[in-house]
Amino acid sequence: MTKKKIGLMGGTFDPIHYGHLVAAEEARINFNLSKVIFIPAGNPPHKKDYPVTDAEHRYIMTALAVNSNPFFEVSRVEIDREGYTYTVDTLKWFKEKYKDAVEIFFISGADAILDILTWKKVEEVMNYCTFIAATRPGYTSEQLERKVKEVKEIYGKEIFVLEVTGMAISSTEIRKKVKNGQSIKYLVPEAVEYYILKYNLYR
Ligand code: ATP
Ligand code: MG
């Protein structure tokens, strides 16, 4: 019997945009995943380079964005956890939930994969899941392949590179546009656009 395969996609999703959604959908199709679960990150206790929007807003925007896809779900596991959230803890949580009945794929964009060796307990992380590295405009396939090779050499683990339809969209750019009063139409799902307007986010 072949194992059921599921995809997990972590992110700040501040806000979620079509770059995230296309990467997840193409990973789902190419890897035959029965579903993809989006996992918005919790609020970091220390500010990073900008104050992250309240987790509840980011969770709701993610839920709105995935609503039209029957294979997409959103999880509260990270936003309901106290303090900093680390991917290793999240993966451990899913591993315990599914035991060995399910094969877990973790979908990450090129930028995230490029600094994967700095992740907390990276070896443990790689024992819980198989990585799918989605290409992202601004990052070359060569850079990605080099990192994949390095990981293979150090940990003996395969990372699958997936060429996804290039969407040169980032949440940073969207936040900037909103702040400057520019349109974000067609960069995010309509429901997300309206939610941002309604709650006056990123002003
Ligand atoms: P920010 O600009 O705030 O960092 P972001 O657009 O990078 O936001 P994140 O929430 O940081 O979005 O990303 C979550 C995951 O989605 C990461 O693995 C990231 O690499 C991936 N990702 C984000 N945007 C894209 C995109 N346009 N194409 C492919 N992958 C993406
Ligand atoms: Mg990012």
Side-chain angles (χ1 to χ4, degrees):
M1 203 186 81
T2 52
K3 268 193 198 176
K4 195 169 135 180
K5 302 196 264 182
I6 65 156
L8 302 180
M9 181 146 188
T12 316
F13 303 129
D14 194 11
I16 189 162
H17 54 69
Y18 281 125
H20 301 125
L21 294 162
V22 164
E25 179 69 350
E26 294 187 7
R28 180 184 76 77
I29 292 164
N30 280 275
F31 288 82
N32 243 313
L33 308 176
S34 55
K35 62 180 170 183
V36 176
I37 305 172
F38 289 72
I39 310 164
N43 279 333
H46 312 292
K47 269 190 198 171
K48 292 198 295 185
D49 42 346
Y50 79 100
V52 174
T53 305
D54 184 76
E56 222 50 60
H57 280 316
R58 293 183 290 105
Y59 171 78
I60 294 170
M61 288 190 284
T62 307
L64 289 170
V66 304
N67 185 46
S68 61
N69 190 327
F71 302 105
F72 284 1
E73 288 175 13
V74 55
S75 165
R76 294 187 61 91
V77 63
E78 288 201 359
I79 66 173
D80 285 345
R81 199 184 297 141
E82 301 273 304
Y84 255 130
T85 47
Y86 292 100
T87 302
V88 64
D89 303 322
T90 303
L91 281 165
K92 190 164 183 226
W93 187 89
F94 277 102
K95 193 76 195 169
E96 277 163 11
K97 173 175 159 132
Y98 292 119
K99 303 280 185 297
D100 281 329
V102 164
E103 192 178 351
I104 299 172
F105 287 80
F106 198 87
I107 306 158
S108 279
D111 55 308
I113 294 293
L114 287 180
D115 59 32
I116 195 169
L117 294 177
T118 67
W119 290 20
K120 188 184 169 190
K121 298 190 182 166
V122 62
E123 185 160 22
E124 191 177 334
V125 164
M126 285 193 276
N127 284 331
Y128 292 137
C129 70
T130 302
F131 274 89
I132 299 173
T135 54
R136 181 172 188 178
Y139 303 86
T140 65
S141 303
E142 292 73 49
Q143 278 177 298
L144 208 48
E145 294 295 351
R146 225 178 298 130
K147 186 58 71 180
V148 165
K149 198 163 161 252
E150 194 183 346
V151 167
K152 176 96 193 197
E153 278 163 11
I154 301 174
Y155 296 108
K157 295 280 177 193
E158 197 78 57
I159 292 179
F160 295 102
V161 174
L162 177 67
E163 283 290 333
V164 301
T165 303
M167 305 288 256
I169 306 175
S170 72
S171 302
T172 302
E173 204 52 46
I174 290 168
R175 293 192 299 273
K176 265 193 214 149
K177 282 183 189 289
V178 174
K179 198 170 173 61
N180 296 332
Q182 293 167 316
S183 168
I184 55 164
K185 264 194 197 305
Y186 318 123
L187 301 177
V188 299
E190 212 168 49
V192 173
E193 179 196 344
Y194 292 164
Y195 188 92
I196 291 169
L197 283 174
K198 178 169 176 178
Y199 291 97
N200 220 3
L201 304 182
Y202 311 123
R203 291 289 176 176

